[in-house]
Amino acid sequence: MSQTKTVVAINGDGIGREIVAAARRIVDAAVTKDNITIEWVEKKAGGEAIDAYGEPLPAETIKACETADAVLLGAVGGPQWDDVAPSIRPEKAILGLRKALGLFCNLRPVRIFKALQDYSPLKPELVQNVDFVIVRELTGGIYFGEREEAEGEGPNELAWDKETYHRYEVERIMDVAIETAAKRRGKITSVDKANVLASSRLWRKIAQEKAAANPEIDMDYLYVDNTAMQLVVNPGQFDVIVTTNLFGDILSDEGAVVSGSLGLLPSASIGTGTALYEPIHGSAPDIAGRGIANPLGTILSAAMMCRYSLNAPKAADAIEAAVEKALEAGYRTGDIYKDGMQRVDTNGMTAAVLQYI
Ligand code: IPM
Ligand code: MN
């Protein structure tokens, strides 16, 4: 008898539908190794939900996520919703889900795939050993602080956003960073702007307390501007980077591009409720509906889902190994295509991975 796990699939917008469909095929095939069957529950969020219900995150979607074993999300947003009111932008769906599910931590592993080593915009010798995880705080800081949209006239027209951090928010994200580092090389870089921001000074004080209480961890402290520079000068130095919501958003895009494979990078958002898995890249409206999107970021996110939420470690390992093999065999979607490689579309890449599962 196999065990059934419930996963909410949120396609979202743009290429979301295509890449989630690809990942579902892979997961269904892989989880048989752990004697698991998936019951997929499709729910809407983002632009698609705005069109269907007039709101980006219907209560029904939240409810389904709350009771599921995991959530797999494609991507949300697109130009057709650029002019909707700020309160119902498609991005509100993902922010609302993070808050509703208590997903205070976003894990973004950045590594170099051997087959793609020469895809980084950095010199090959700089990126050979790149293998780090960004631990981004996800339900606090300026993303969720008070704000006022622009008001007033002329030069005095004013808008503002407030950055706040409570001690408990910093402590729990530091705990995840420490746990993550303990399973890796034991090194943490805590990133802040403590030379200017009060919230960063609290952040750093708590990071230092945690470092003192966990002597097996080697913690250092960098300002965010310096970190942005170090990421292109010497990205191999990092093991675990722990940082605030806004800094983590910015640094994770930089980290992704350093790896040369933005389309391949997965993420897991974890916390107190059901965890959510999604690729780092966006909804790529320019290529949506053409069946050519790279599904590997979503497929690798689904591998993280198997490992952390579905108790399917064999499936997770099998998916990650199959992706490596497909890349080594030369299969490439358009975004990572180079001369001499085997150009495939979304279905072709999915089939290529599937054959190695
Ligand atoms: C990300 C995205 C989101 C964020 C957007 C879509 C709200 O850029 O997950 O990094 O800023 O957190
Ligand atoms: Mn981002």
Side-chain angles (χ1 to χ4, degrees):
M1 261 291 281
S2 74
Q3 201 194 350
T4 302
K5 301 275 185 183
T6 308
V7 179
V8 173
I10 300 176
N11 293 326
D13 308 313
I15 57 172
R17 178 171 300 280
E18 301 150 60
I19 55 181
V20 170
R24 285 172 58 168
R25 279 175 65 195
I26 303 291
V27 170
D28 281 333
V31 292
T32 58
K33 295 180 192 296
D34 299 278
N35 217 10
I36 284 171
T37 316
I38 309 284
E39 187 192 328
W40 297 96
V41 179
E42 284 191 25
K43 292 290 166 192
K44 290 188 183 4
E48 199 190 25
I50 297 176
D51 291 348
Y53 310 106
E55 53 175 335
L57 184 58
E60 180 200 320
T61 299
I62 299 179
K63 209 167 144 220
C65 294
E66 277 169 348
T67 55
D69 292 301
V71 182
L72 183 65
L73 184 137
V76 297
Q80 58 274 55
W81 303 285
D82 271 352
D83 297 325
V84 302
S87 62
I88 61 157
R89 284 189 64 83
E91 289 78 5
K92 283 272 170 188
I94 178 74
L95 298 176
L97 269 177
R98 288 171 184 169
K99 201 65 173 182
L101 301 174
L103 306 176
F104 63 82
C105 174
N106 187 215
L107 297 170
R108 299 190 162 179
V110 175
R111 65 190 190 98
I112 300 288
F113 291 85
K114 233 189 274 141
L116 301 182
Q117 243 175 28
D118 51 345
Y119 284 59
S120 172
L122 301 187
K123 294 192 198 92
E125 63 268 27
L126 284 181
V127 294
Q128 262 161 27
N129 300 317
V130 167
D131 180 359
F132 60 87
V133 184
I134 298 183
V135 178
R136 170 189 175 193
E137 199 291 324
L138 204 59
T139 49
I142 201 164
Y143 269 61
F144 291 92
E146 288 170 48
R147 60 171 52 86
E148 288 288 353
E149 299 297 330
E151 260 179 45
E153 298 288 321
N156 285 328
E157 188 175 5
L158 171 73
W160 55 267
D161 306 88
K162 193 165 164 183
E163 168 97 340
T164 61
Y165 269 109
H166 290 99
R167 167 171 282 277
Y168 76 88
E169 294 175 295
V170 184
E171 284 183 346
R172 67 185 179 184
I173 196 75
M174 288 297 162
D175 289 341
V176 178
I178 289 164
E179 228 176 273
T180 307
K183 290 188 214 132
R184 297 173 48 94
R185 304 193 297 279
K187 187 181 164 193
I188 299 180
T189 307
S190 173
V191 175
D192 60 41
K193 188 69 186 172
N195 50 346
V196 179
L197 304 178
S199 52
S200 276
R201 285 190 279 274
L202 175 62
W203 181 278
R204 185 171 292 211
K205 182 170 86 176
I206 295 168
Q208 285 165 336
E209 291 169 11
K210 289 285 181 184
N214 294 276
E216 72 286 3
I217 297 292
D218 167 19
M219 175 119 52
D220 59 8
Y221 311 89
L222 288 187
Y223 297 138
V224 63
D225 49 351
N226 187 13
T227 310
M229 180 182 74
Q230 294 296 329
L231 271 172
V232 292
V233 173
N234 180 14
Q237 71 183 287
F238 295 110
D239 182 16
V240 173
I241 293 176
V242 62
T243 191
T244 63
N245 205 340
L246 180 63
F247 296 161
D249 179 48
I250 298 166
L251 294 177
S252 60
D253 268 33
E254 189 186 0
V257 82
V258 161
S259 85
S261 41
L262 182 62
L264 269 70
L265 293 188
S267 84
S269 300
I270 59 170
T272 54
T274 313
L276 179 147
Y277 301 83
E278 58 175 324
I280 287 197
H281 62 73
S283 59
D286 51 320
I287 58 162
R290 291 169 52 197
I292 58 170
N294 183 348
L296 295 181
T298 317
I299 289 171
L300 290 166
S301 301
M304 291 181 89
M305 173 176 86
C306 290
R307 182 170 295 120
Y308 298 128
S309 290
L310 303 185
N311 197 15
K314 290 182 194 149
D317 290 347
I319 294 171
E320 285 165 359
V323 167
E324 294 263 2
K325 283 186 193 142
L327 290 171
E328 266 153 40
Y331 295 101
R332 299 284 187 275
T333 42
D335 57 315
I336 49 173
Y337 178 75
K338 281 196 177 158
D339 275 352
M341 297 290 150
Q342 169 85 24
R343 187 193 276 272
V344 286
D345 60 8
T346 311
N347 278 332
M349 184 58 101
T350 309
V353 175
L354 213 45
Q355 72 180 324
Y356 296 114
I357 293 283

